[in-house]
């Protein structure tokens, strides 16, 4: 049985929302055991949807162990120190002040385990704002992403939390690098959401610099979608949306051939098509709107034109590509069943436990405490005092939606 490339490694997570939980989700998928330390009330994503766990919690906490621990108590900190002493990696995204208050800084962890690999995902890296708190949309605002993403003229965050998830990926890269290097100087990792955002935006930031220098004036670089005519979403004859990629002159020729559009020498090059943007957009939109999606998809596939249907979230996992074995794992949580996409590198991913659900709050508290060498009466004392918390298996995870009064009346 394949247990993943990190089998035998223990990771402690002090995470909330997305960045740290996403990083440790990847480490768990790669085979590590992840112990998620949560405060008495649980981490934030446990209560975001009808009083219960959100999609973020379901997606990024599968197969972890939950230790509900009060780190503001002396006994809770003692448990934490003992746990760090036996672990390999700590990943957290607490604010700098919270980490100091709770005793979870690199210095605290190194005192318990000099060989610990420690990764702190913060709002900002070194600089005048390094003590400030930042979240995914704040990083989007600060690094230019939000400026061009507008709803009715108002800057808006993107849908997915890309900065959080990129930071989680960068954290995993850093942790793996530290494990490979064996260099003690590389074991203290600090990573800012802001700095992550700068790196993600590098292409656009340099594109603005290039265009500003070429034109001799400050210039906002438009997104690739709006700077290349024929590149974007268009509606088909049966009211489905298709997204086309039209990057090169060859792409344009293939598209025109596939849809029977007469060759126009005046639109042969990208520069010509940019000058004639309204004309090109009308050609593409008119051609697409005259064909049903399935017919159009067949033509474009034959012509090797890049495209896909713009799918709503409820249809994504029904696609044949997503149904291919090894892409998702089924699991049950509460009274519901879910399909969770797995880390997309099957050769490195564990095969055991992929169908494990996320843990209930404190589900593994007693188990972890016993594993740390605490006697049964000590474990009971921790639970009784509130230092640690056991799961409430009777608690309803989500409040049921109320039925409309008319519907309730019709059922008697």
């Amino acid at each position: 049985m394949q247990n993943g490339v990190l089998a035998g490694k223990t990771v402690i997570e002090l995470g909330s929302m997305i960045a740290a939980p996403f990083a440790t989700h990847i480490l768990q998928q790669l085979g590590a055991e992840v112990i998620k330390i949560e405060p008495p009330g649980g981490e934030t994503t446990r209560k975001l949807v009808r009083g219960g766990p959100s999609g973020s919690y379901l997606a990024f906490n599968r197969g972890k162990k939950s230790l509900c621990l009060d780190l503001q108590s002396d006994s809770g900190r003692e448990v934490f120190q003992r746990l760090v002493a036996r672990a390999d990696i700590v990943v957290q995204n607490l604010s700098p002040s919270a980490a100091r208050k709770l005793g979870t800084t690199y210095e605290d962890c190194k005192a318990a385990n000099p060989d610990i690999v420690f990764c702190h995902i913060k709002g900002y890296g070194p600089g005048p704002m390094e003590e400030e708190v930042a979240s995914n949309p704040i990083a989007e605002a600060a690094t230019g992403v939000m400026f061009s993403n507008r709803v009715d003229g108002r800057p808006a965050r993107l849908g997915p939390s890309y900065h959080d998830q990129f930071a989680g990926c960068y954290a995993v890269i850093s942790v793996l690098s530290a494990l490979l290097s064996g260099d003690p100087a590389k074991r203290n990792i600090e990573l800012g959401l802001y700095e992550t955002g700068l790196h993600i935006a590098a292409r656009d930031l340099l594109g603005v610099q290039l265009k500003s220098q070429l034109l001799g004036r400050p210039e906002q670089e438009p997104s690739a979608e709006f700077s290349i005519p024929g590149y974007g979403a268009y509606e088909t004859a049966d009211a489905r949306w298709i997204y086309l990629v039209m990057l090169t002159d060859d792409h344009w020729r293939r598209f025109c051939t596939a849809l029977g559009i007469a060759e126009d020498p005046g639109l042969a090059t990208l520069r010509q098509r940019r000058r004639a943007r309204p004309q090109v957009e009308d050609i593409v939109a008119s051609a697409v709107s005259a064909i049903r999606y399935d017919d159009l998809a067949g033509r474009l596939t034959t012509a090797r034109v890049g495209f896909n249907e713009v799918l709503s979230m409820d249809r994504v996992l029904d696609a044949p590509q997503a149904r291919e074995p090894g892409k998702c794992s089924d699991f049950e949580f509460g009274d519901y069943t879910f399909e969770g996409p797995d880390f997309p590198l099957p050769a490195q991913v564990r095969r055991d436990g992929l169908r494990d659900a996320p843990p209930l709050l404190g589900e593994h508290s007693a188990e972890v405490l016993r594993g740390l060498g605490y006697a049964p009466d000590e474990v009971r004392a921790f639970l009784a005092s509130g230092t640690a918390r056991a799961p409430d298996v009777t608690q309803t995870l989500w409040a049921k939606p109320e039925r409309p009064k008319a519907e309730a009346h019709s059922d008697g």
Side-chain angles (χ1 to χ4, degrees):
M1 177 177 290
Q2 179 180 318
N3 293 320
V5 295
L6 291 182
K9 299 294 185 183
T10 298
V11 179
I12 300 172
E13 176 205 305
L14 292 151
S16 181
M17 294 300 289
I18 296 177
F22 185 70
T24 56
H25 164 67
I26 296 176
L27 295 174
Q28 190 275 340
Q29 294 255 296
L30 291 175
E33 178 185 62
V34 176
I35 300 173
K36 182 181 182 73
I37 297 180
E38 302 187 65
E43 74 114 314
T44 308
T45 58
R46 282 191 180 274
K47 299 179 181 179
L48 291 182
V49 177
R50 302 194 68 83
S54 68
S56 295
Y57 182 78
L58 294 171
F60 305 142
N61 291 285
R62 294 158 47 197
K64 298 178 183 179
K65 294 183 176 180
S66 173
L67 168 60
C68 188
L69 191 65
D70 182 5
L71 288 173
Q72 297 192 60
S73 67
D74 292 338
S75 53
R77 291 192 183 192
E78 190 275 328
V79 171
F80 176 71
Q81 289 285 306
R82 187 181 292 198
L83 185 58
V84 171
R86 304 186 181 197
D88 301 286
I89 302 157
V90 173
V91 179
Q92 64 152 303
N93 64 337
L94 302 175
S95 69
S97 60
R100 290 192 294 269
K101 177 181 177 181
L102 297 176
T104 63
T105 66
Y106 173 66
E107 290 73 21
D108 295 317
C109 293
K110 184 180 179 182
N113 182 349
D115 295 325
I116 198 73
V117 174
F118 180 91
C119 181
H120 188 179
I121 305 174
K122 306 163 56 181
Y124 301 91
M129 300 182 73
E130 61 185 325
E131 288 292 315
E132 300 294 324
V133 176
S135 60
N136 185 89
I138 290 176
E140 289 182 14
T143 58
V145 174
M146 190 178 289
F147 187 85
S148 58
N149 186 60
R150 297 182 179 237
V151 178
D152 296 329
R154 180 184 182 187
R157 65 163 292 166
L158 302 176
S161 295
Y162 286 125
H163 285 61
D164 275 331
Q165 292 177 247
F166 266 106
C169 290
Y170 288 10
V172 171
I173 294 169
S174 299
V175 165
L176 296 178
S177 297
L179 292 174
L180 286 171
S181 73
D183 182 355
K186 299 186 184 303
R187 294 176 190 156
N188 181 17
I189 302 161
E190 287 194 354
L191 175 64
L193 284 182
Y194 172 76
E195 285 73 20
T196 296
L198 287 181
H199 191 245
I200 295 171
R203 181 196 70 167
D204 301 292
L205 293 170
L206 270 69
V208 167
Q209 295 170 41
L210 172 61
K211 196 166 186 180
S212 296
Q213 292 176 80
L214 289 173
L215 297 175
R217 64 175 185 271
E219 183 73 15
Q220 285 293 332
E221 179 78 2
S223 71
E225 177 173 344
F226 299 115
S227 64
I228 302 178
Y231 187 125
Y234 301 88
E235 192 171 14
T236 64
D238 48 350
R240 293 164 71 177
W241 286 90
I242 190 169
Y243 198 96
L244 302 175
V245 174
M246 211 83 71
L247 284 171
T248 68
D249 298 336
D250 188 46
H251 292 163
W252 173 251
R253 286 192 295 272
R254 291 179 189 177
F255 173 79
C256 291
T257 299
L259 273 68
I261 299 171
E263 182 178 349
D264 183 344
L267 299 177
T269 69
L270 178 57
R271 177 172 290 186
Q272 290 172 318
R273 293 193 297 278
R274 277 179 165 158
R275 290 173 178 169
R277 176 184 299 278
Q279 179 186 355
V280 173
E281 286 294 323
D282 183 64
I283 290 172
V284 175
S286 297
V288 169
S289 67
I291 307 174
R292 296 177 64 84
Y293 179 85
D294 289 338
D295 182 13
L296 178 60
R299 297 191 196 187
L300 296 178
T301 298
T302 300
R304 293 183 296 118
V305 175
F307 76 94
N308 210 318
E309 184 174 3
V310 180
L311 296 172
S312 57
M313 282 292 181
D314 61 315
R315 296 178 58 206
V316 169
L317 295 184
D318 292 332
Q321 184 70 17
R323 305 309 303 171
E324 187 73 12
K327 302 292 175 68
C328 299
S329 295
D330 300 336
F331 64 93
E332 297 182 358
F333 192 60
D335 298 326
Y336 300 93
T337 58
F338 300 93
E339 288 181 281
D342 294 322
F343 191 64
L345 294 172
Q348 280 74 40
V349 171
R350 68 194 309 155
R351 303 317 306 168
D352 64 308
L354 283 181
R355 300 185 66 179
D356 289 347
L360 297 172
L361 178 60
E363 181 173 342
H364 304 90
S365 293
E367 174 190 329
V368 172
L369 291 170
R370 289 193 298 268
L372 292 175
Y374 290 107
D377 59 333
E378 292 178 296
V379 173
R380 287 192 293 270
F382 282 138
L383 297 176
S385 67
T387 295
R389 177 176 168 180
D392 180 358
V393 296
T394 66
Q395 182 181 14
T396 300
L397 289 174
W398 293 280
K400 299 286 186 180
E402 294 183 6
R403 293 182 300 173
K405 291 182 179 180
E407 179 185 345
H409 179 74
S410 66
D411 290 343

